[in-house]
Amino acid sequence: MIGTILFALIINLLIFGFEGLTNNSTLNLNFHDTYLVIENTQFILFCSSIIFFGVYLARVLRRKFNNLVANLILIISTILLVLILMELISILELLNQQSSSWTVYPPLSDQEIEPEVKPKENGLLLISNILFGFQILLLSFIGYCGFKTGQNFKQNK
């Protein structure tokens, strides 16, 4: 576990450097005319949860769910990853709503109905749906991990 924490810290240091680990550092993302600012602590939490999930998924699959501590760490990191994906999906849906259809208002002297202008697809809805499907897979994987952990723990008693 200490090795995984050190690995996650080294990866985050390579991405952000020492300045990125301060309290007020941010990650700035620019989407067309929207400027999204995310605290580095949230992005570090996301990267760390992915690293923990990957490392402990490999450990659990290699040992066939026989290590109780590794199983519990995998379940906790998967729950954390699901929560982070839920926040990411809500941000993507918010960005998609901001770029949805808009109406052109003609001058008041014109009696025509306002035409609704549909923008071209930006792909955020597709990404959001893919992340939602991945979130469902992770939730079903948590159930499977809990089942295998309980099954192996019951056999060891």
Side-chain angles (χ1 to χ4, degrees):
M1 177 146 168
I2 294 173
T4 309
I5 292 172
L6 288 175
F7 180 65
L9 182 64
I10 289 170
I11 294 296
N12 287 319
L13 281 175
L14 289 175
I15 293 173
F16 297 114
F18 287 106
E19 297 85 25
L21 297 178
T22 59
N23 287 338
N24 56 359
S25 59
T26 58
L27 176 69
N28 303 322
L29 301 173
N30 189 8
F31 293 109
H32 304 291
D33 60 343
T34 304
Y35 197 64
L36 185 64
V37 178
I38 301 173
E39 292 182 27
N40 276 1
T41 55
Q42 293 174 348
F43 195 73
I44 288 171
L45 182 66
F46 178 65
C47 289
S48 299
S49 65
I50 288 176
I51 290 170
F52 266 87
F53 177 76
V55 167
Y56 280 96
L57 178 66
R59 282 188 65 186
V60 163
L61 291 178
R62 188 178 64 220
R63 292 184 152 223
K64 298 179 183 167
F65 294 94
N66 286 330
N67 189 346
L68 180 65
V69 175
N71 292 351
L72 292 177
I73 292 174
L74 177 66
I75 290 172
I76 291 170
S77 67
T78 307
I79 289 171
L80 186 61
L81 191 60
V82 165
L83 292 174
I84 292 170
L85 281 176
M86 189 168 49
E87 184 69 28
L88 185 63
I89 289 170
S90 68
I91 290 171
L92 287 175
E93 287 178 356
L94 181 68
L95 287 173
N96 190 32
Q97 285 177 354
Q98 286 179 350
S99 64
S100 63
S101 65
W102 44 281
T103 304
V104 176
Y105 292 103
L108 293 175
S109 61
D110 194 6
Q111 296 296 327
E112 292 183 24
I113 298 174
E114 298 91 14
E116 188 172 322
V117 178
K118 298 275 186 184
K120 59 183 176 181
E121 287 292 322
N122 57 5
L124 290 177
L125 187 62
L126 177 67
I127 294 171
S128 176
N129 288 338
I130 290 172
L131 288 177
F132 184 71
F134 187 64
Q135 191 177 18
I136 297 295
L137 286 174
L138 286 176
L139 287 171
S140 61
F141 180 69
I142 290 173
Y144 180 74
C145 285
F147 172 73
K148 291 298 279 185
T149 302
Q151 190 178 29
N152 288 335
F153 184 69
K154 186 177 177 182
Q155 287 177 357
N156 292 338
K157 250 185 164 177

